[in-house]
Amino acid sequence: QVQLVESGGGSVQTGGSLRLSCVASGYTDSIYYMAWFRQAPGKEREGVAQINTRGGQTYYSDSVKGRFTISQDNPKNTVYLQMNSLKPEDTDMYYCAANTGQLGLALHPGTYGRWGQGTQVTVSS
């Protein structure tokens, strides 16, 4: 099994930056992709960024492209989400997710079988 723990959330003003971290533990050799999702109460979970943990290729949603950067530190089993130029509409609970072989779309929640507990990001105007 893979366990994921996120950290780094907080409150910032519009235009500010935050860096989220996700540490994976357990059978990490089984991970093919890692991704970040976000979700507000009553809304669907939205995928924002994905990274291929074996090749480093990245993929972003249009809503964050050019502002967010996903990266990884393999020796530390950690994936990061650097968020710049934050907007109030980026306010959400952010979740880290791991794909261990499930087939599906890059930013679809069903593609990921393991999830972290989430970290809150709040952007004020």
Side-chain angles (χ1 to χ4, degrees):
Q1 292 283 26
V2 171
Q3 294 79 42
L4 304 173
V5 178
E6 304 100 330
S7 62
S11 296
V12 296
Q13 292 188 329
T14 298
S17 298
L18 282 173
R19 189 178 79 157
L20 306 183
S21 299
C22 174
V23 179
S25 61
Y27 189 35
T28 56
D29 286 347
S30 66
I31 298 174
Y32 288 85
Y33 297 90
M34 296 283 288
W36 287 95
F37 287 77
R38 62 188 184 186
Q39 186 174 24
K43 294 189 176 181
E44 292 186 357
R45 192 163 290 191
E46 175 194 9
V48 298
Q50 181 206 56
I51 188 165
N52 180 324
T53 60
R54 303 180 185 207
Q57 296 89 349
T58 58
Y59 183 79
Y60 298 92
S61 68
D62 288 342
S63 61
V64 307
K65 196 175 297 182
R67 300 189 298 123
F68 290 12
T69 302
I70 189 170
S71 62
Q72 61 183 351
D73 185 336
N74 282 344
K76 296 183 179 179
N77 290 321
T78 302
V79 171
Y80 303 99
L81 186 68
Q82 178 66 44
M83 305 186 295
N84 299 328
S85 302
L86 283 163
K87 307 174 182 179
E89 51 264 42
D90 293 318
T91 295
D92 270 322
M93 183 73 78
Y94 283 71
Y95 297 90
C96 174
N99 170 286
T100 55
Q102 298 86 357
L103 298 178
L105 298 175
L107 295 180
H108 190 280
T111 304
Y112 299 85
R114 306 298 297 175
W115 294 85
Q117 82 289 350
T119 185
Q120 178 67 38
V121 171
T122 302
V123 185
S124 58
S125 57

